[in-house]
Amino acid sequence: DQLEIFVPNGIELDFLEIFDKWGHKVKSFTMKDIQNNRILWNGETVSWFRNNEVNSGTYYYALKTMNDDKVYVNFITVVK
C-alpha cells in the first residue's frame, strides 16, 4: 500500500516533509518527486532508520507551496 497525494496543475510544491512523533524527519518531497500530478509514498524513510520503513503510528506533515507563504501542518496515520 502507499499514500497518494494529488497535486493540481499550477501548484508548485516547495516542500512536503513527514515527521515522526518525536519530530524526526522520516521523508521529504519536492517538485522533482511529482509524477503525473501525484506524490507516492510507500512508507520508506530516510536512510538513518535501520529498517528503512516506518512503523504503524501517527506522523505529522508540513507542506508549503511556492504559491503561498503559509506552511500547512496536519497528521496522517500509518496502519500496517
Side-chain angles (χ1 to χ4, degrees), residues 5-46:
I5 301 165
F6 177 73
V7 182
N9 287 329
I11 299 296
E12 294 183 44
L13 182 68
D14 191 0
F15 63 82
L16 168 61
E17 298 175 330
I18 301 174
F19 301 89
D20 65 16
K21 63 183 176 183
W22 296 284
H24 300 121
K25 188 187 312 180
V26 296
K27 190 69 177 177
S28 62
F29 301 94
T30 61
M31 282 295 291
K32 68 179 178 66
D33 298 303
I34 298 173
Q35 296 180 2
N36 298 322
N37 290 79
R38 287 168 174 67
I39 294 174
L40 301 176
W41 183 47
N42 62 1
E44 289 181 350
T45 68
V46 290

Side-chain angles (χ1 to χ4, degrees), residues 39-66:
I39 294 174
L40 301 176
W41 183 47
N42 62 1
E44 289 181 350
T45 68
V46 290
S47 61
W48 56 270
F49 273 84
R50 233 178 302 161
N51 64 359
N52 290 336
E53 214 175 83
V54 297
N55 295 318
S56 294
T58 301
Y59 293 83
Y60 298 87
Y61 68 84
L63 174 125
K64 182 173 179 315
T65 66
M66 294 182 196

